[in-house]
Amino acid sequence: MSALSPLTSVARFATRSTAIQSKRFLAQVAASPKLDRPSSYKVVVVGGGSAGLSVASTLSNALGKNAVAVVEPADVHYYQPLWTFVGSGLKTLDESKMAMKDVMPENAQWIKDSVASFSPDKNAVVLANGEAITYDYLVVAAGIQVNWGKIKNLPETLGKNGVTSNYSAQSVEKTNEFIKSFKGGNALFTMPSTPIKCAGAPQKIMYLADEQWSKANVRSQTNIQYFTGLGKIFAIDKYANQLLKICKARNLNINYFTDLAEIKPETREAVFNVLAGEAKGTTLTLPYEFLHVTPPMGAPDFIKTSALANADGWVDVNKETLRHNKFDNIYSLGDCSSLPTSKTAAAITAQSAVVKSNLLGDIYNESRDAAKYDGYTSCPLITGSDKLILAEFSGYSGQPQETFPFDQSQERLSTYLLTKEIIPEIYWKSMLKGTWDGPAKYRKFFGSK
């Protein structure tokens, strides 16, 4: 019971912090140049995901109505960290989504379009409809691009004959369906060599599938193989060591430096490129009965080809202040940024606090030290339907940065319940409203490092 008390304090804080929020109204929607709305704003935020909305909420409250515009084409906002639970039947897809109009900050102007290009020398973004929107300050929070087409035959195979992915709203429910109908054989789980969002998700579904197949008495007829394009199961040794123990105990086979390149649906085979070792440059072909694919990802094309990008295509920002390295009135955070840390919603909580502090300091011309981001990120590694390893660390130092006064590398029910039930509430009721800046204050309270 004592281990649960700090988790309860987090939940109580989130509830108190959101109680001060006023009633949500429908956001204003702008879908074309013909609508009666401004074409110039104090701040333009590109992206209506977790990063964009957490920043836009605070800025629009501080600066007043229609001083902030959010450019976002989607009608639905998803809390994607919940999709591991959806894919294993522990949550529904509906629990992971809300209408975009219901999460858009009431003081912000919603421009329901996508960005085609940037003109930073003119302080402008050009929309897909051809309209130019100008700004005093720009925040780029456009997320990551999922490149389904880079695996041959994946787009046309996804959601059929045992091939699925928790990275798509269109296929995540198929994961649960295919797990339940599985009767044995080869079950393959993949992790690409590219950066991805939520780097723990490719293996989390493996642990949950293994558990279900054991309960269904088909595990003894099942060969579970995890293929990663990287050289480690997890970046931080403290957590990687525990995961390797779990894999060994549960007979989960790990294959390093192997990248899924092609699916052969007619023969139900998966083809992998071997990236290292004696077999480097060759391919490995395996039959499958179940195949969970994590597709390769990368910087969005409209960012990659812009003046905002670094050599790898990400928005080129200072890793501490999150200010662009060339354009002083541009900031970026989240998955599309060049920040050298894991791309997670938890990382965004800390990043958004830095962006908001530094940007408001710019706007109000305040003379003070810049807020600095330390690389904090987190990955709740679900290993069963009642247990979880709560990895918290700095992507900059490569060292654990845990919140609670216990060893978070151990599987626990308390951290499982925190991730499954409490954190989603914090996300909807506090993070998207700009009132949750991560657990740093609790780390200090508990005396954690």
Side-chain angles (χ1 to χ4, degrees), residues 43 57 90 112 185 205-206 227 262 279 288 331 350 355 387 395:
V43 181
S57 291
L90 298 170
K112 194 174 182 295
I205 190 61
M206 173 179 66
F227 293 88
E262 180 182 358
Y288 64 84
Y331 288 84
V355 169
K387 51 193 173 182

Side-chain angles (χ1 to χ4, degrees), residues 26-31 35 37 41 48 66 68-76 99-102 104-105 107-113:
L26 295 182
Q28 297 182 26
V29 179
L35 290 182
R37 61 159 169 78
Y41 300 87
N66 294 339
V68 177
V70 179
V71 182
E72 171 55 56
D75 290 312
V76 178
M100 188 66 70
K101 64 182 176 61
D102 292 333
M104 191 65 60
N107 283 335
Q109 177 78 58
W110 179 16
I111 300 176
K112 194 174 182 295
D113 205 333

Side-chain angles (χ1 to χ4, degrees), residues 109-165:
Q109 177 78 58
W110 179 16
I111 300 176
K112 194 174 182 295
D113 205 333
S114 56
V115 170
S117 62
F118 298 96
S119 297
D121 55 329
K122 298 178 181 177
N123 291 336
V125 296
V126 179
L127 304 180
N129 65 18
E131 182 187 7
I133 301 294
T134 60
Y135 56 80
D136 291 344
Y137 298 91
L138 176 68
V139 178
V140 185
I144 200 167
Q145 181 171 292
V146 182
N147 295 315
W148 301 98
K150 289 195 173 182
I151 297 175
K152 187 176 180 181
N153 297 324
L154 175 58
E156 55 267 42
T157 308
L158 190 65
K160 303 173 184 176
N161 300 318
V163 179
T164 186
S165 177

